[in-house]
Amino acid sequence: MSHLFKNYQSLDVTFSHGEGVWLWDTEGKQYLDALGGIAVTSLGHAHPRLVKAVAEQAARYLHCSNIYRIPEQEKLADRLCRLSGMERAFFCNSGTEANEAAIKLARLHGHAKGIDVPTVIVTEGAFHGRTLAALAATANAKAKVGFEPLPERFLRVPFGDSEAVAELASDSQVCAVLVEPIQGEGGINIPPAGYLQQLRKICDDNGWLLMLDEIQTGVARSGRWFACQHEDVLPDVMTLAKGLGGGVPVGAVLASGVASELFGPGSHGSTFGGNPLACTAAMTVLESIEGAGLCSNAAAMGEHMLNGLKTQLGDLPGVVDIRGCGLLLAVELDRAAAPLVKTALEAGLLINVTAGNVVRLLPPLTITREEADEVLARLCPLINTFLQEEAA
Ligand SMILES: *Cc1c(COP(=O)(O)O)cnc(C)c1O
């Protein structure tokens, strides 16, 4: 009997090591990793520069506590703020913790404005994490079963509909909007052009915080450093995690303007958050992205893969939509697609299915044209066969 909780339904495969976009299992079989641990291994596996930086930091010191100044943390905050246009950073260890901190900022902001029950607008299809407040902000009803009572005061509107947000301006308790620029777990849902700019204006008009969850879209994944930069929008709060550490757990909350002054001494914290190892890893990821031009690589390879998917699958009955932005790519089918994950695994390809019927690709930002073509060469025939064999 396994002594692990039964909360994951893991596939029956064990990896021994990786290199770049490749992983090998303990039997020696090779896999093309088009999922990157769900947008985490942004530099691929065993990236020499990241391996070296982590090893050298481990040899210096791993941890010391936020009771002391941590230069690695200050440097990372500087770099993230320079890249994003934000002003201050708080570091934590995961996405859900980053959103939890963002929700706490919203509450502080609300109370500072004299609001009794600060209320945050969130969207249908949203995923913000698994701690209680992040779960409350998440849309998926199944994920919440049994965990009630959840923190209250989240108002849900359709994703991509700025009118629905504007209509809530009559609610005097609203103090913030929390939204993903592109929904990840919800199925790589891309909002209409101008959505973030419209949200920015509504928030400005009402004194609300615009809080963008860039945990999946951030750190070059969308082809820009942050997805909000496609629309030239500066949020008040931005949350990051996943790809930021390239596989080392690190999350961040960036804030600008009033939001950056809300946390005072003792108001928030984390034992591990921003520790020297995590910050060194994240700094190395940022430097490697900058040094190797991986933002433009993500944009170019994303476009190349999107075009390839459209050419090879676009006309198949059963394919509802093919969409993407940078290296966030999706093939939406007209039927439950979960079995494809296992068939792909057998064919030596790591992919994932989200929202039930959406095949999702989140390959490393380092992917080359040849590797991108190999992903398509392995994936497209599988989807073709699947659609012929599996009933709609
Ligand atoms: C993955 C994800 C989270 C949760 O991050 P964890 O590190 O798993 O807690 C939150 N928001 C978005 C958009 C995500 O993709």
Side-chain angles (χ1 to χ4, degrees):
M1 187 199 107
S2 167
H3 291 281
L4 291 173
F5 270 105
K6 294 185 275 188
N7 56 319
Y8 298 114
Q9 288 184 306
S10 309
L11 292 157
D12 193 17
V13 59
T14 310
F15 299 110
S16 73
H17 66 286
E19 190 183 330
V21 296
W22 301 98
L23 271 174
W24 284 264
D25 73 12
T26 45
E27 316 275 282
K29 181 174 165 184
Q30 192 178 354
Y31 300 81
L32 185 47
D33 184 3
L35 186 62
I38 313 190
V40 167
T41 51
S42 38
L43 302 182
H45 300 283
H47 189 279
R49 194 162 163 183
L50 185 56
V51 171
K52 183 163 177 279
V54 167
E56 285 177 1
Q57 183 59 49
R60 274 196 299 278
Y61 68 149
L62 285 169
H63 183 82
C64 62
S65 168
N66 286 302
I67 291 172
Y68 312 101
R69 285 186 69 168
I70 301 176
E72 294 83 357
Q73 204 181 105
E74 293 181 21
K75 277 191 222 152
L76 179 61
D78 286 353
R79 179 66 71 107
L80 281 171
C81 287
R82 176 163 73 67
L83 294 171
S84 63
M86 305 295 277
E87 290 168 55
R88 289 187 191 277
F90 165 79
F91 294 104
C92 52
N93 314 287
S94 67
T96 197
E97 277 178 69
N99 284 334
E100 202 75 16
I103 293 163
K104 286 176 79 173
L105 286 175
R107 294 231 168 142
L108 287 176
H109 177 64
H111 288 304
K113 290 185 17 147
I115 290 174
D116 296 331
V117 277
T119 298
V120 178
I121 299 175
V122 293
T123 61
E124 288 166 13
F127 182 80
H128 296 298
R130 304 280 196 165
T131 53
L132 290 174
L135 186 60
T138 291
N140 185 347
K142 266 199 229 154
K144 300 182 188 180
V145 173
F147 298 119
E148 308 82 0
L150 294 177
E152 290 177 7
R153 301 311 298 176
F154 291 94
L155 293 180
R156 201 166 299 282
V157 297
F159 180 67
D161 182 352
S162 59
E163 274 300 305
V165 175
E167 277 167 23
L168 292 172
S170 56
D171 185 329
S172 61
Q173 303 298 300
V174 173
C175 60
V177 176
L178 172 62
V179 68
E180 297 153 83
I182 295 169
Q183 289 185 335
E185 303 307 300
I188 314 293
N189 300 322
I190 303 171
Y195 180 55
L196 294 184
Q197 284 199 8
Q198 288 150 10
L199 293 184
R200 178 69 275 175
K201 176 152 195 322
I202 296 165
C203 287
D204 287 342
D205 290 349
N206 292 283
W208 300 344
L209 299 182
L210 177 60
M211 310 202 298
L212 296 182
D213 179 343
E214 292 243 19
I215 288 163
Q216 191 157 155
T217 54
V219 197
R221 171 77 28 205
S222 76
R224 300 288 294 267
W225 275 104
F226 306 100
C228 58
Q229 293 172 338
H230 290 283
E231 285 202 19
D232 266 326
V233 163
L234 189 73
D236 300 289
V237 177
M238 182 195 291
T239 53
L240 302 172
K242 292 214 161 85
L244 178 59
V248 174
V250 51
V253 183
L254 308 182
S256 68
V258 286
S260 64
E261 302 301 331
L262 289 168
F263 279 150
S267 57
H268 195 56
S270 162
T271 294
F272 289 130
N275 101 343
L277 181 75
C279 289
T280 296
M283 191 65 177
T284 307
V285 167
L286 298 181
E287 284 172 349
S288 303
I289 291 172
E290 212 160 22
L294 296 183
C295 274
S296 43
N297 191 62
M301 289 307 110
E303 198 187 343
H304 177 67
M305 291 179 78
L306 187 63
N307 289 337
L309 289 168
K310 284 183 175 166
T311 311
Q312 296 183 49
L313 300 172
D315 295 332
L316 289 184
V319 173
V320 175
D321 190 28
I322 297 169
R323 55 183 175 265
C325 179
L327 289 170
L328 295 138
L329 294 156
V331 181
E332 181 178 342
L333 306 183
D334 66 351
R335 64 202 76 178
L340 266 170
V341 173
K342 215 169 164 192
T343 350
L345 185 75
E346 282 155 15
L349 177 66
L350 306 185
I351 57 161
N352 151 268
V353 166
T354 191
N357 62 334
V358 179
V359 178
R360 177 171 55 163
L361 306 178
L362 300 162
L365 308 173
T366 51
I367 195 166
T368 64
R369 184 173 282 259
E370 291 69 35
E371 291 160 348
D373 287 338
E374 184 60 26
V375 171
L376 300 185
R378 292 188 187 198
L379 178 65
C380 292
L382 290 179
I383 292 183
N384 199 340
T385 311
F386 175 77
L387 288 172
Q388 284 171 37
E389 290 175 355
E390 204 87 4

